[in-house]
Amino acid sequence: MSSINFATREISCKVVYYGPGLSGKTTNLQVIHQKMPQDKRTDMVSLATEGDRTLFFDFLPLNLGDIKGFKTRFQLYTVPGQVYYNSTRKLVLRGVDGIVFVADSQRSRQAENLESLQNLRQNLQDYGMDLDDMPFVLQYNKRDMDNVFTLDELNKELNPRNVPFFPATAHNGKGVVTTLKTIAMLVIEKFNVKQGFLRQAAANVGNTGVHDVSLTKEGVSVKAQAPAAPQQPAAAPAASPFRMPSFAAKPPASAPAQPSTSGAGLFQKGATSSPFGRPRAATTIPRMPTFGRDVAKPQADADDEIELRPYIPKKK
Amino acid sequence: MSDFTIFSDDAAKVQRLMTAYQASVKAEYIVLCHRDGSIIAEVGSLGIDATPLAVLSTASFDSARQVGMMLGGENFQAVSFTGENRSIYIAPVDQALLLVQIFPGSKLPNRIEDFNRLLVEKLVDAVPAFTQNTSRLVR
Ligand SMILES: Nc1nc2c(ncn2[C@@H]2O[C@H](COP(=O)(O)OP(=O)(O)OP(=O)(O)O)[C@@H](O)[C@H]2O)c(=O)[nH]1
Ligand SMILES: [Mg+2]
């Protein structure tokens, strides 16, 4: 559901920790929560049973800092691993942008790992999503236990696509942050691509986005739907039995001040009206923020994307 | 994967509608959020972060929907809770969005359903995007 809100200047993305029961998903979030600097610590929400098994989900909002004026917010969720909670797992998956699969490294847990991975694939499919198209990393947890698989063995069973994987001992905090950083990067990377296309498509149609963008092997295609019906000047709700104010098209009487856009900033380039307004056909698309580091080389047409350095796996 | 872009002019429209509505129903706080948990607009203030509120409200509403399905496809339109000092009303705006309204006191306003329906209609009118316009990236 990665969403970008130009009014509040926020980008938000959703990451779900998936995996079999007791593999350490909740522990991951707890560790991240503990590691957050005190002044930036947000509340973690856990809907759990008395025995601390996740019942619905854990939730931790994470502010990944202010990047060129846009707050980047990640929403971290865990699912309940226990097999019979599938309907809740599915609800939590809705709109997911990236997945961390927390596997239990113990040999005795291999069947559960495989079953959970299969279940993840199926649940995504039910939403019309494909795990293989999604930012996805594996965490091999509980490396401290006796009788664990080697990383190679785990990869052979669980990681045919060779996605990034991380050994971890979550309850000691090991491997937790690396896992998080990697999935965050992958999600942002995909967000860049999507936002670029979506905004171009929006500009073509002259609308917030009545369009589907298809990314196929043949390239990108934008299917514009008929533009939205012109907005009727909303009739005063005279027939209404309720005394509702006629608040149809009122000017912003005492509307809360929009964030001031004074100061020729990043977004002013070529924009005539509000730089945060929806792009219109035949006007320059306001420039999107870039993630600080590698601003050097956006090409002429691709300047409305958010950039973060691509993930490059470290050589072991 | 639904991807949602909220532009400032749309957000401003929504904000105006919600502000007017808030005054007329005397709500303490109202937030419009995506059912995936991101905030579109809020009016009033509770002095807390709206995101967990949105997420938990969504979960609440989703649970009720599931219970409805178990009861043979009952399609619950809204959920509400009342406490000693506050009450809360959670209702969908089309498929993707959710409106969460918090009122002072132990009772919801009379005919909250009707008021809510009016606001929802106006929101959808004001931003057709809410119904036709979830930009999608298909792979
Ligand atoms: N030995 C060991 N124990 C761990 C590790 N990580 C987590 N645990 C423990 O495993 C137990 C289960 O961890 P949780 O994080 O609650 O597991 P979960 O995946 O959230 O389980 P569900 O909510 O039932 O799906 C807890 O007692 C943790 O302390 C680890 O790396 N090594
Ligand atoms: Mg858990």
Side-chain angles (χ1 to χ4, degrees), chain B residues 78-135:
Chain B
V79 292
S80 61
F81 304 100
T82 50
E84 252 171 61
N85 302 311
R86 282 198 172 112
S87 45
I88 181 165
Y89 187 81
I90 304 169
V93 179
D94 198 57
Q95 300 291 317
L97 309 186
L98 209 63
L99 197 57
V100 181
Q101 307 176 39
I102 295 181
F103 297 93
S106 61
K107 270 200 189 133
L108 289 165
N110 285 336
R111 308 175 82 172
I112 177 71
E113 299 84 4
D114 298 323
F115 278 104
N116 175 71
R117 193 175 317 121
L118 268 178
L119 176 60
V120 168
E121 277 168 16
K122 289 196 183 298
L123 286 174
V124 173
D125 265 2
V127 185
F130 290 165
T131 46
Q132 344 163 339
N133 198 3
T134 24
S135 310

Side-chain angles (χ1 to χ4, degrees), chain A residues 22 24-27 48 52-55 57-58 78-81:
Chain A
L22 297 178
K25 303 176 291 295
T26 300
T27 309
D52 278 342
R53 303 293 303 268
T54 304
L55 179 64
F57 58 78
D58 303 296
T78 72
V79 296

